[in-house]
């Protein structure tokens, strides 16, 4: 029995183990904010019922003391859970002296230094429960559609796109191994076996950037589909984001209320079509808004905000210039300066949550692009083999989990969207 | 439409994209082993129906050519899928010259060097589909029981149990970061927030060992439960392993047949109780079998085999000596030389698949154990805080995914149980 199934215990006796999140009251009645299973309920403790001695013991309970309680569940429509508990008995399991995180305000550094305790706080409970729900819905979406999970390796020998942002480690007598910053190239090998595949795991970027949107270790979903073109890929992404987000919202109403989220507004993002514009159109819009930007430049975070504010919705920006995108993206046959790709930009300042493209399936064209980019062809032997032995059109995308959580939870910074954030200046706890 | 839903197309026309796994036949009829979505079906090509020219084109198809076919699905009870396709039309998408993996035997080194192509082979398709199913069933089991996923960090600052087996990397100006070989300590912090938690991700061991059971990068499930004792923990493990394994077998009958597995025998492991013996009993059994082993020694792989052969079943070995187990395990109150723990040993030579224990919840006792083991107390600050602020009894365990796959698939080596195995001597592709 736990607080997640409290609705089955209305007007019934209940026994629970948990913690004193907080306590307040007067000399006749005390109210414990009691935590169990990531939920918090009010426990009402009356002196008249419990006796002087027990009441005084309760009144002096310290924050985070672990306790066992028994009592009766009754309706309380004003509370988050809809119930409260009238206490019959209480037993202390273990004490808690001078718990460092008090109900007063603390600075972010202090809270991150105490992340192992901070995760017990009300907002943090809600965020990590939403992360749990969303992670499960992501996997369920692809499992239900016959996608096969391919766990791509973290330790890799060959260097991919940009060596400068890779963590490296000594690997026995072989030399250096690098922590993967994408599973895509491996995932592409697997479409030839299973047609529809995905991976979902930790990903690493040794980027020296301190922004609200970057972690050095984050979770990324990557999806790859055989015999699939750019437009199919966009349709899949839109259906995917809408399906998993609405399912998560449905299951997380209590948590979203704790986070102060406007649930109707949030749902509306996932009930109407996402906007689709080309990169060329995006540049025109930005120029009209007075931005000094021209074809060939990347669209930075501030400019992403201008675009999503224009539409008050998530925006696909399609067909970026070849010169600023990766070598494996397929050239756009209708506009040769661009490639068949799209980024999905989320509103509310969240920014890019998905990057995807159709992949170049021609061996000769991939070789040309590698040469153009001065990338070492030897490092791509296995990838090039895929274009030799039964190549097929295919497309894929990558989603940054923490950014989607930030969008759903309405958080300005991705660092609270993962249990133990890793940033340029933070490796502990 | 894909071959996974072929049963919906019996006696109907079908269009499919896929690959030529193999082709054989004579001058009147050719049989293509056609691959799509990790499944293989026979496509029957008759000269009389297709005409001379098309038939000759088909007859000269190379292995791994990508093709589009249309035809009629008909019953064929002798085949793996229960169906075959009578070809009407065939179009070549892309050629495949000199595919390196032919139907003849290849050595393991050659196959691992070509892992990106080898994953297209029949047995490898089956294994990775079983991995996909099992991974999903694991997550479903815990999601359905209100466990919360806590993605524990890979990059960690403090050194855990044994620094000698950790991969390390430079972390900006902070110093060295280590790749986590367990998420347990972080997972323990989260039971105070969510009571029931798990993590499931890649794990790293820089061990210089070349055995059938070790990878340097493998996937581990770890589970931690508040207010949970050793016996509760064992009951959870047994129910968990049985539930997910039977669900996976049920969904993977075709794959298990491809792998030559005796399905009734395999199911029987998960339908009868697991054996539970103490470490002391295990030592007695081994001594009776003539082994030169005494209390205090670890039970190695060969001796694990002797135990499981004795019972022809998975065996929990409980309550190991304190001196050979980790500092965080709770002392056994009924036998002070031992701890409240258990390893689950799988039969058929697979060996230990789970290690678990009740955790010591007393601050003072943990400190004593750290000192006994000469471990640096400073590195455990956050872990020790958990015993200061509302400590509770709790227990947990860790499961090595690839070993469970090896058991279910009947494989002698874990290296085929992961898409891209990482071993002491292998980092590529």
């Amino acid at each position: 029995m736990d607080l997640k199934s409290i609705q089955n215990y209305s007007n019934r006796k209940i026994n629970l183990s948990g913690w004193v999140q907080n306590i307040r009251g007067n000399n006749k009645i005390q109210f414990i904010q009691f935590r169990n299973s990531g939920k918090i309920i009010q426990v009402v403790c009356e002196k008249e019922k419990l006796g002087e001695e027990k009441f005084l013991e309760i009144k002096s309970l310290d924050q985070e003391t672990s306790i066992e309680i028994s009592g009766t569940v009754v309706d309380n429509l004003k509370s988050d859970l809809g119930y409260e508990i009238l206490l019959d008995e209480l037993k202390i399991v273990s004490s808690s002296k001078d718990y460092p995180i008090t109900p007063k305000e603390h600075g972010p550094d202090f809270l991150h230094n105490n992340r192992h305790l901070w995760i017990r706080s009300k907002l943090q409970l809600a965020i990590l429960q939403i992360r749990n729900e969303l992670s499960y819905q992501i996997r369920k979406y692809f499992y239900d559609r016959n996608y096969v999970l391919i766990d791509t390796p973290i330790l890799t020998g060959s260097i991919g796109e940009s060596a400068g942002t890779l963590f490296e480690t000594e690997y026995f007598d072989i030399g250096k191994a690098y922590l993967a910053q994408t599973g895509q190239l491996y995932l592409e090998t697997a479409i030839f076996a299973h047609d529809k595949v995905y991976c979902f795991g930790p990903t690493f970027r040794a980027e020296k950037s301190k922004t609200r949107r970057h972690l050095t270790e984050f979770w990324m979903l990557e999806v790859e589909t055989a015999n699939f073109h750019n437009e199919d890929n966009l349709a899949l992404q839109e259906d995917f984001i809408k399906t998993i987000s609405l399912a998560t919202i449905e299951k997380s109403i209590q948590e979203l209320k704790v986070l102060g989220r406007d649930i109707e507004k949030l749902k509306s993002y996932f009930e109407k079509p996402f906007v689709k514009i080309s990169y060329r159109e995006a540049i025109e819009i930005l120029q009209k808004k007075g931005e000094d930007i021209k074809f060939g430049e990347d669209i930075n975070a501030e400019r992403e905000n201008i675009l999503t504010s224009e539409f008050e919705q998530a925006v696909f920006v399609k067909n970026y210039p070849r010169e600023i995108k990766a070598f494996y993206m397929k050239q756009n046959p209708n506009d040769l300066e661009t490639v068949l790709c799209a980024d999905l930009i989320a509103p509310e300042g969240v920014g890019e949550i998905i990057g995807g493209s159709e992949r170049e399936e021609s061996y000769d064209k991939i070789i040309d692009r590698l040469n153009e980019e001065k990338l070492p062809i030897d490092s791509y032997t296995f990838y090039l083999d895929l274009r030799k032995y039964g190549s097929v059109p295919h497309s894929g995308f990558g989603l940054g989990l923490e950014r989607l959580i930030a969008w759903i939870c309405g958080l300005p910074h991705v660092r609270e969207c993962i249990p133990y954030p890793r940033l340029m200046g933070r490796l502990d706890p």
Side-chain angles (χ1 to χ4, degrees), chain A:
Chain A
M1 158 63 222
D2 61 51
L3 281 184
K4 280 186 181 147
S5 45
I6 187 77
Q7 69 283 357
N8 302 332
Y9 290 83
S10 180
N11 295 311
R12 287 170 57 188
K13 292 269 183 195
I14 197 172
N15 298 309
L16 280 172
S17 296
W19 290 265
V20 177
Q21 188 94 8
N22 199 359
I23 185 163
R24 64 179 179 81
N26 57 36
N27 284 326
K28 290 189 172 166
I29 191 162
Q30 287 281 320
F31 301 96
I32 302 173
Q33 295 298 311
F34 173 85
R35 183 181 72 249
N36 164 286
S37 299
K39 302 276 184 183
I40 296 164
I41 197 168
Q42 176 163 280
V43 176
V44 182
C45 316
E46 292 179 280
K47 181 158 79 176
E48 200 171 289
K49 184 169 163 190
L50 300 165
E52 180 88 27
E53 192 183 352
K54 197 69 189 174
F55 185 77
L56 286 175
E57 185 191 338
I58 290 170
K59 196 160 177 286
S60 65
L61 280 174
D62 288 300
Q63 203 191 335
E64 289 303 319
T65 305
S66 49
I67 56 178
E68 285 170 19
I69 62 166
S70 59
T72 305
V73 177
V74 296
D75 291 354
N76 176 347
L77 297 179
K78 285 183 293 179
S79 72
D80 291 341
L81 289 184
Y83 302 94
E84 64 183 18
I85 295 172
L86 306 181
L87 187 77
D88 292 325
E89 286 173 58
L90 181 149
K91 204 186 109 192
I92 292 173
V93 176
S94 187
S95 64
S96 168
K97 285 274 164 270
D98 305 321
Y99 185 70
I101 302 177
T102 58
K104 69 165 191 183
E105 281 281 317
H106 296 282
D109 249 24
F110 177 84
L111 291 170
H112 279 285
N113 288 338
N114 287 286
R115 183 67 178 165
H116 59 295
L117 304 174
W118 185 29
I119 55 171
R120 304 181 187 186
S121 298
K122 197 169 177 177
L123 299 187
Q124 304 305 316
L125 294 176
I127 297 165
L128 291 186
Q129 284 187 76
I130 288 171
R131 182 184 171 101
N132 171 57
E133 188 64 46
L134 195 59
S135 294
Y136 189 74
Q137 294 298 336
I138 288 171
R139 290 178 186 274
K140 184 172 187 304
Y141 183 90
F142 289 106
Y143 176 85
D144 286 348
R145 285 157 185 79
N146 283 339
Y147 275 74
V148 173
L149 173 69
I150 298 292
D151 294 310
T152 55
I154 304 295
L155 295 169
T156 52
S158 46
I159 298 183
E161 295 171 49
S162 44
T165 58
L166 289 166
F167 290 107
E168 59 178 46
T169 184
E170 289 299 323
Y171 195 83
F172 305 104
D173 301 331
I174 291 179
K176 294 223 185 299
Y178 303 91
L179 304 194
Q181 56 184 3
T182 169
Q184 182 196 319
L185 305 196
Y186 289 97
L187 212 49
E188 284 189 51
T189 69
I191 60 159
F192 296 83
H194 300 281
D195 286 62
K196 304 192 288 185
V197 297
Y198 72 104
C199 63
F200 187 17
T203 311
F204 302 88
R205 302 260 164 106
E207 269 179 287
K208 286 194 178 172
S209 62
K210 288 186 182 179
T211 80
R212 297 185 296 103
R213 309 172 175 200
H214 287 91
L215 296 164
T216 59
E217 176 179 342
F218 62 99
W219 278 64
M220 183 153 71
L221 166 81
E222 293 179 274
V223 179
E224 200 73 29
T225 314
N227 300 296
F228 215 60
H229 295 282
N230 198 40
E231 291 302 320
D232 306 320
N233 200 27
L234 264 62
L236 174 66
Q237 289 167 46
E238 183 164 349
D239 181 67
F240 159 65
I241 290 289
K242 288 178 171 180
T243 303
I244 62 162
S245 300
L246 287 172
T248 299
I249 293 166
E250 199 59 49
K251 300 247 184 189
S252 310
I253 299 294
Q254 283 171 6
E255 284 70 28
L256 291 166
K257 282 184 181 162
V258 165
L259 294 167
R261 221 49 188 127
D262 177 339
I263 289 165
E264 288 314 308
K265 183 186 167 197
L266 183 59
K267 280 168 76 172
S268 75
Y269 288 130
F270 306 108
E271 288 166 342
K272 54 189 183 189
F274 290 172
V275 176
K276 289 181 192 174
I277 58 174
S278 70
Y279 170 87
R280 290 188 190 274
E281 289 168 317
I283 295 297
E284 275 176 36
I285 292 169
L286 290 168
Q287 286 170 343
K288 273 187 199 149
K289 295 273 169 191
E291 293 293 306
D292 181 21
I293 186 171
K294 58 179 192 297
F295 184 91
E297 287 178 47
D298 213 345
I299 298 171
N300 65 16
E302 290 92 301
R303 286 165 174 166
E304 286 177 353
N305 281 352
I306 295 172
L307 292 175
T308 54
S309 301
E310 179 78 7
F311 298 103
E312 293 185 19
Q313 173 58 308
V315 178
F316 278 113
V317 179
K318 290 171 42 172
N319 305 342
Y320 280 72
R322 284 176 73 192
E323 64 202 81
I324 58 170
K325 286 291 182 184
F327 72 92
Y328 49 71
M329 294 189 182
K330 188 177 169 81
Q331 196 175 32
N332 182 358
N334 301 316
D335 180 359
L336 299 178
E337 284 184 303
T338 67
V339 283
L340 295 174
C341 75
D343 288 353
L344 179 61
I345 320 290
E348 301 194 18
V350 171
E352 184 196 333
I353 57 170
I354 289 182
S357 72
E358 184 161 341
R359 320 308 191 183
E360 179 54 64
E361 79 260 32
S362 152
Y363 181 85
D364 292 338
K365 287 189 182 165
I366 285 261
I367 291 280
D368 287 348
R369 283 292 285 141
L370 286 170
N371 285 330
E372 244 177 78
E373 300 279 329
K374 298 190 174 55
L375 286 163
I377 288 178
D378 285 355
S379 298
Y380 294 92
T381 313
F382 84 79
Y383 189 68
L384 293 169
D385 273 358
L386 308 180
R387 276 70 181 169
K388 277 191 199 166
Y389 307 117
S391 193
V392 290
H394 62 291
S395 300
F397 66 91
L399 164 78
L401 176 66
E402 288 76 17
R403 292 189 184 178
L404 180 56
I405 296 171
W407 182 13
I408 290 176
C409 292
L411 295 170
H413 201 302
V414 292
R415 69 189 170 195
E416 290 178 38
C417 300
I418 188 165
Y420 286 92
R422 297 299 182 239
L423 305 159
M424 203 182 132
R426 176 163 299 282
L427 185 61
D428 284 299

